[in-house]
Amino acid sequence: MGVGIIGIGHYAPDNIVTNADLEKIVDTTDEWIRTRTGIEERRIAKDDEDSSDMALIAAEKALKSAGKTAEEIDLILVATVTPDKSFPSVACMIQDRLGATNAAAMDLAAACAGFMYGVITGQQFIEAGAYKNVLVVGVDKLSKITDWTDRNTCVLLGDGAGAAVLSSVSEGNGILSFELGASGKGGPHLLQKDDGFLYMNGREVFKFAVRQMPESCMNVVEKAGLKKEDVDFLVPHQANIRIMEAARQRIGIDEDKMATTIKYYGNNSSASIPIALSQSIEDGKIKDGDVVVLVGFGGGLTWGAVALRWGK
Ligand code: UT7
């Protein structure tokens, strides 16, 4: 038996903030944002909509798509760097609201690579025989730590949540290989400052990402005993279309074989990969038997990639 994703769902707030809206609050242009990042609009949560509210909706959708009840979940892992509070965890909050009374629950923080860390942590519990069903959620409300006067960061970010249910799947399907990594030395390039706001040295993070994303993609393909030609679909962290292109070109697949939700959602941090994966499933871009590579990087610095064969 393998371990795979048997259900997935996502949620983004209704409130759309366009590049034209941002032109009114910082010194930027729609043209600069589109050409440098690929972003045209992003979703921003209302003041009374926190990470747990978004996580709950994505989790409910994932459970429905998996055909599992909340009581069947053994463990809830929530990847987030913007929990409602430092404790109780978002995982505990949604455990209660879902009615997942049999589930252990905890948050984990690996910024934009958080969902990758969550999926691999969940996989280990299932492979070890400890748990049957693990709910992994990636959620962030970056808008609450965004400095809306800083054009270097505020144009890039958006709020949202994505969730997946992991369970055992037939031999040959599910997770084929993974890579997780961290470089704490790079921490100062992307962090939450003492004033609470997010700071990013965009150029340094860009340099790291254009090197790491393609390398991690190739590493998981090789670890899975595959060739890059075997990859059917790529789901990269949606940080910048130019970084995503570097990964796509290294794998050598067509543009329509890469998830690109960045245009509509911006960078959703921990939620970016599950939103992009869920949207791709919804759009019918991934079919059973496809080899899919998920790859992300983020603050920490952290990175993670997974090669999997889609299907139960
Ligand atoms: O989730 C992981 C974290 N984030 C990322 O992955 C982001 C990684 N970095 C990037 O995506 C890119 O570095 C950015 C999109 C942040 C910036 O793009 P860039 O092509 O690397 O631009 P740059 O940093 O080299 O800046 C070029 C110019 C600068 O002006 P000067 O110093 O050349 O006069 C910036 O001040 O663009 C300026 N600039 C802007 N201009 C208009 C920076 N932000 C803006 C803006 N509007 N919003």
Side-chain angles (χ1 to χ4, degrees):
M1 297 288 265
V3 177
I5 294 174
I6 62 156
I8 188 143
H10 70 279
Y11 169 78
D14 296 334
N15 178 30
I16 297 173
V17 175
T18 64
N19 291 347
D21 294 330
L22 293 176
E23 282 178 352
K24 293 178 200 141
I25 61 169
V26 284
D27 181 15
T28 191
T29 60
D30 170 52
E31 205 259 335
W32 191 95
I33 303 171
R34 264 189 299 109
T35 54
R36 298 292 182 116
T37 71
I39 301 167
E40 293 184 9
E41 57 189 47
R42 69 286 293 141
R43 305 297 184 92
I44 301 297
K46 298 198 184 78
D47 288 348
D48 63 354
E49 185 175 39
D50 216 331
S51 291
S52 63
D53 302 304
M54 296 191 287
L56 179 70
I57 300 171
E60 284 169 340
K61 289 183 180 177
L63 285 174
K64 192 166 174 227
S65 115
K68 295 282 178 196
T69 63
E71 291 86 358
E72 288 177 280
I73 299 298
D74 304 302
L75 173 65
I76 300 174
L77 297 170
V78 176
T80 186
V81 290
T82 51
D84 302 30
K85 310 169 185 299
S86 52
F87 64 91
S89 62
V90 173
C92 282
M93 289 178 180
I94 66 167
Q95 188 248 19
D96 177 40
R97 290 171 73 184
L98 287 168
T101 43
N102 300 310
M106 67 172 166
D107 287 359
L108 58 87
C112 308
F115 185 73
M116 305 283 64
Y117 272 74
V119 164
I120 296 309
T121 305
Q123 178 209 14
Q124 302 307 308
F125 279 102
I126 297 172
E127 254 182 24
Y131 293 137
K132 283 200 172 77
N133 302 307
V134 177
L135 173 67
V136 183
V137 183
V139 62
D140 268 310
K141 185 181 178 183
L142 286 181
S143 62
K144 68 182 174 186
I145 61 164
T146 300
D147 177 353
W148 290 98
T149 65
D150 177 13
R151 69 175 183 174
N152 292 298
T153 53
C154 76
V155 302
L156 306 172
L157 312 170
D159 300 331
V165 177
L166 298 181
S167 202
S168 52
V169 292
S170 353
E171 187 80 49
N173 283 344
I175 296 167
L176 306 171
S177 63
F178 74 88
E179 170 176 286
L180 296 176
S183 169
K185 232 185 222 1
H189 298 318
L190 181 51
L191 53 78
Q192 186 174 19
K193 293 183 291 173
D194 291 342
D195 64 10
F197 288 130
L198 181 148
Y199 162 82
M200 180 171 66
N201 180 338
R203 273 177 216 184
E204 284 304 319
V205 177
F206 189 92
K207 277 196 274 178
F208 156 73
V210 288
R211 192 188 66 245
Q212 192 59 53
M213 288 253 283
E215 194 179 306
S216 293
C217 285
M218 288 311 295
N219 288 346
V220 291
V221 168
E222 278 161 24
K223 277 189 194 174
L226 299 171
K227 294 202 254 333
K228 59 182 190 170
E229 294 76 26
D230 298 319
V231 177
D232 297 297
F233 203 78
L234 178 65
V235 184
H237 170 44
Q238 310 280 307
N240 185 317
I241 192 72
R242 293 182 290 147
I243 300 171
M244 293 157 59
E245 275 298 309
R248 184 183 72 79
Q249 282 163 18
R250 184 74 183 85
I251 292 280
I253 56 170
D254 294 344
E255 267 178 56
D256 64 337
K257 297 289 180 188
M258 176 169 79
T260 47
T261 49
I262 186 167
K263 191 168 161 185
Y264 304 108
Y265 293 125
N267 178 348
N268 295 123
S269 185
S270 313
S272 148
I273 293 172
I275 289 177
L277 177 61
S278 173
Q279 186 72 59
S280 304
I281 297 291
E282 222 173 87
D283 296 344
K285 292 186 175 168
I286 297 172
K287 55 183 191 316
D288 279 2
D290 279 354
V291 172
V292 182
V293 171
L294 315 177
V295 61
F297 66 94
L301 299 170
T302 55
W303 63 91
V306 168
L308 57 86
R309 193 179 299 278
W310 194 257
K312 296 185 191 173

